[in-house]
Amino acid sequence: MGEEPEQMEERVVEFRKILEDYSAEAFCVGGQVPLRKKFSKIVCWPAVAEVAAKSPATEGRSSPWVINLLECTEKVLAGLQSAGSPSPFGRGSEKVFDERVRKAVEFPAERMASQFVPVFNAEFCSRIQRLLGGRSFFLQPHKLNVYGEGAHFAKHKDTIRDPRMVASVVVCCPTSFEGGVLSLVDNRGIQIDFDWSQSALTPGNNPDRGSADAGGADRVMNWACFFCDVDHEVSPVTKGTRLTLTYDVCIDSTDSERGDSGSGGVVKAEVEQDSKAQKRLAESLGFLSGSRLKRRRGVEEQKSEVEQKSEVEQGKGNEVASQIASKVESRSEEQLLTLLDKLNGAHRYGYYPAHDYAFGATDTWTGERDWESQLKGVDLQLHRALMKRGWVAKLFALYAELDLYGPAIHFNVGLDPEDPVSMEDAIDSEELETLRSITELRMINTPQRDPSAIYVYSFWYGSTGNEPFEGHDSYYARTVLVFSKSPITNDRDHTTL
Ligand SMILES: O=C(O)CCC(=O)C(=O)O
Ligand SMILES: [Fe+2]
């Protein structure tokens, strides 16, 4: 693309150097994902009611707080700071508090829900999948970390909280701060620094939508992913507040593609031994090749190139799809439930090569009313196979049709099913909408769902809209594909979910 030979030379030299540096293994990956206005809110439940009442951010309200990540004023950040719990760190199986090691406050996943879900971004998924040697993965939300001035986290390795956990993801929210550099050091002493202080407020762009409307990406979220055995630290924040969301990256040990163990060491060892590891490594670093990597400035600064999926990968995805479909058709009901449950986990958060479109990556407008015609790959095959077995399949939209489920919404909002946050408590219509959407995300995030109820398989397009396609209705991205054993009705008393 009109590149000057000297530039190319420099780029190639740099890339070769990177490959040399990382030739033994890649231990981390990073990037940026857009934070769209439409999905920029988080809900936090303050730990202690009195704190919540006192905090200026609550403005007299009790829980939950709805915070827009795009509008984190000092007041809001101060509120978060005072309502979060002090962050412990793990020493053996214990949780220890020591500000010399870790000074920050946090909202654990049980007290936090986010509209922002990184796996909706295909590039995020594919980069991590490559780091993991091609395996599918799912994310479990872990925490929202709040680092005020002077907060830091000394060198540590993350606790493996789940036998399936192999890596961690850190996503940095768009607030203004200085310091707070995340430094990773692998066992060969190679250090990668992720300094997000300068780019945290970088405006996002939204080429699809053109205008800065409610669906636009206003900011980027920087992220990094690293294996569990990587030492890392966060240097003291010297100014402002740094907010990070953390997630456990898990591999389902029952996936036949993988070894028996889900431990990071084993997965990593397999990756190293794999004769294709080198190729994968080159691929995983491929996104750096168009730009200049300055080590210690952080991989995250690099702009990616569009990643083309090879024919081989596409083929593999389709093969997987037909295998799944044939299993769905041949298995007993019980086996089917087990299979679907597994698939559910992989499919919710995983990434299939043939599924580039999934996870909201192709947020788009469409004139189609016929959802089925939009399904591809695994979704379509599953859909057809389940239909054949008489299962009801329905796609429903997060925003437009969630009302259908009436009471079901209560089921997932709030911590205690006995004492749910009711929709009527919501303060205004915008918040109501936020809660609705978060409800849905919470539902999807819930690792152990009742296997006898409804299965949620895929994020796909949804929500009636008022945009383009003059003359007829149009629909905006993000629908949830739901399979149910019982009919899905419009009945407001339908509480199966
Ligand atoms: O906030 C960060 O950048 C990293 C946080 C971290 O290392 C952790 O929560 O274990
Ligand atoms: Fe950590």
Side-chain angles (χ1 to χ4, degrees):
M1 293 223 300
E3 199 167 13
E4 295 300 319
E6 305 89 272
Q7 280 176 336
M8 191 192 291
E9 183 72 14
E10 196 185 336
R11 183 169 65 85
V12 170
V13 169
E14 269 187 344
F15 185 52
R16 280 180 59 94
K17 184 160 169 0
I18 295 159
L19 273 183
E20 271 163 30
D21 286 348
Y22 293 87
S23 57
E25 59 190 285
F27 66 95
C28 69
V29 66
Q32 295 184 325
V33 290
L35 175 63
R36 297 182 188 285
K37 274 186 193 162
K38 208 166 175 168
F39 303 106
S40 62
K41 289 178 183 154
I42 57 172
V43 173
C44 294
W45 284 266
V48 187
E50 299 86 77
V51 177
K54 272 189 228 146
S55 162
T58 64
E59 293 171 350
R61 279 187 255 159
S62 60
S63 63
W65 301 357
V66 177
I67 292 160
N68 188 339
L69 291 175
L70 292 168
E71 291 160 18
C72 279
T73 59
E74 281 180 19
K75 199 167 112 179
V76 167
L77 292 169
L80 276 178
Q81 179 83 16
S82 62
S85 329
S87 295
F89 60 94
R91 187 175 283 151
S93 55
E94 269 181 275
K95 278 189 175 175
V96 185
F97 295 89
D98 182 343
E99 290 200 345
R100 287 168 304 177
V101 177
R102 185 174 199 184
K103 184 168 185 248
V105 300
E106 65 180 37
F107 290 85
E110 310 85 74
R111 291 199 283 111
M112 200 270 300
S114 168
Q115 280 185 309
F116 169 79
V117 176
V119 292
F120 283 159
N121 185 278
E123 193 171 293
F124 172 91
C125 294
S126 68
R127 286 189 189 178
I128 293 178
Q129 197 185 29
R130 285 174 183 191
L131 182 73
L132 302 179
R135 288 161 173 82
S136 300
F137 66 93
F138 61 99
L139 290 189
Q140 287 184 349
H142 182 229
K143 276 175 188 173
L144 170 70
N145 293 305
V146 185
Y147 300 81
E149 249 173 65
H152 70 105
F153 197 170
K155 190 167 107 178
H156 68 283
K157 287 185 177 55
D158 284 348
T159 306
I160 298 179
R161 291 168 280 267
D162 183 306
R164 297 166 300 181
M165 178 175 169
V166 294
S168 296
V169 164
V170 180
V171 180
C172 188
C173 304
T175 62
S176 167
F177 66 92
E178 286 174 18
V181 176
L182 171 65
S183 299
L184 312 179
V185 182
D186 86 337
N187 50 23
R188 296 161 300 160
I190 293 177
Q191 178 173 342
I192 302 275
D193 286 354
F194 290 90
D195 180 354
W196 295 320
S197 60
Q198 296 308 307
S199 52
L201 294 177
T202 306
N205 59 16
N206 188 14
D208 294 346
R209 304 292 298 281
S211 63
D213 67 357
D218 266 0
R219 296 270 183 249
V220 292
M221 300 276 258
N222 291 290
W223 63 270
C225 174
F226 48 91
F227 284 108
C228 291
D229 64 350
V230 174
D231 277 323
H232 56 286
E233 67 185 288
V234 181
S235 69
V237 169
T238 52
K239 202 172 169 193
T241 306
R242 177 180 184 271
L243 287 187
T244 55
L245 291 162
T246 52
Y247 303 83
D248 298 344
V249 179
C250 296
I251 282 185
D252 187 342
S253 55
T254 54
D255 186 321
S256 60
E257 256 186 271
R258 304 183 280 265
D260 320 320
S261 168
S263 93
V266 171
V267 170
K268 214 166 155 188
E270 283 176 7
V271 174
E272 280 166 30
Q273 282 160 19
D274 190 328
S275 62
K276 290 181 190 145
Q278 204 64 27
K279 185 167 166 279
R280 286 192 185 126
L281 172 73
E283 279 174 5
S284 71
L285 289 170
F287 72 91
L288 297 173
S289 63
S291 52
R292 299 140 178 270
L293 177 91
K294 292 274 184 285
R295 268 187 46 205
R296 294 176 187 263
R297 250 191 34 217
V299 187
E300 82 288 0
E301 290 184 19
Q302 311 310 316
K303 293 282 173 282
S304 70
E305 292 173 350
V306 176
E307 294 173 322
Q308 296 292 334
K309 296 283 152 276
S310 70
E311 299 271 306
V312 179
E313 280 178 311
Q314 294 279 3
K316 204 170 127 204
N318 291 332
E319 206 179 291
V320 172
S322 50
Q323 275 174 17
I324 290 166
S326 68
K327 282 180 189 157
V328 169
E329 279 173 49
S330 61
R331 298 224 172 169
S332 74
E333 202 74 4
E334 197 183 325
Q335 287 171 320
L336 183 62
L337 286 176
T338 315
L339 178 76
L340 291 177
D341 207 31
K342 276 186 203 147
L343 272 176
N344 188 8
H347 200 80
R348 273 177 309 179
Y349 300 107
Y351 166 77
Y352 289 96
H355 259 242
D356 236 348
Y357 66 89
F359 309 120
T362 44
D363 278 13
T364 186
W365 289 91
T366 170
E368 289 290 339
R369 259 182 184 286
D370 173 12
W371 302 114
E372 193 188 349
S373 70
Q374 299 190 26
L375 294 176
K376 295 176 189 157
V378 179
D379 279 341
L380 182 60
Q381 303 227 28
L382 249 184
H383 185 206
R384 289 195 180 140
L386 285 167
M387 291 291 271
K388 249 191 201 172
R389 287 179 68 116
W391 281 50
V392 179
K394 185 178 166 75
L395 288 158
F396 73 99
L398 280 185
Y399 295 98
E401 292 178 42
L402 207 59
D403 254 358
L404 295 183
Y405 293 89
I409 286 165
H410 293 184
F411 181 86
N412 285 295
V413 179
L415 297 179
D416 181 357
E418 298 303 315
D419 183 26
V421 177
S422 88
M423 298 311 273
E424 287 71 36
D425 290 346
I427 283 147
D428 54 38
S429 61
E430 199 193 349
E431 187 166 337
L432 186 74
E433 185 177 330
T434 303
L435 279 175
R436 277 182 187 154
S437 58
I438 288 173
T439 298
E440 192 54 32
L441 298 179
R442 287 293 287 186
M443 181 179 82
I444 293 161
N445 281 341
T446 306
Q448 265 90 41
R449 285 174 48 71
D450 174 1
S452 63
I454 288 182
Y455 293 85
V456 180
Y457 282 99
S458 172
F459 310 113
W460 188 227
Y461 305 151
S463 184
T464 50
N466 50 10
E467 285 234 354
F469 300 99
E470 268 173 51
H472 55 89
D473 285 346
S474 58
Y475 303 87
Y476 183 60
R478 290 197 194 194
T479 300
V480 179
L481 172 58
V482 176
F483 293 104
S484 164
K485 282 184 75 184
S486 57
I488 301 170
T489 69
N490 289 9
D491 178 358
R492 280 180 177 273
D493 294 330
H494 177 73
T495 51
T496 327
L497 197 62

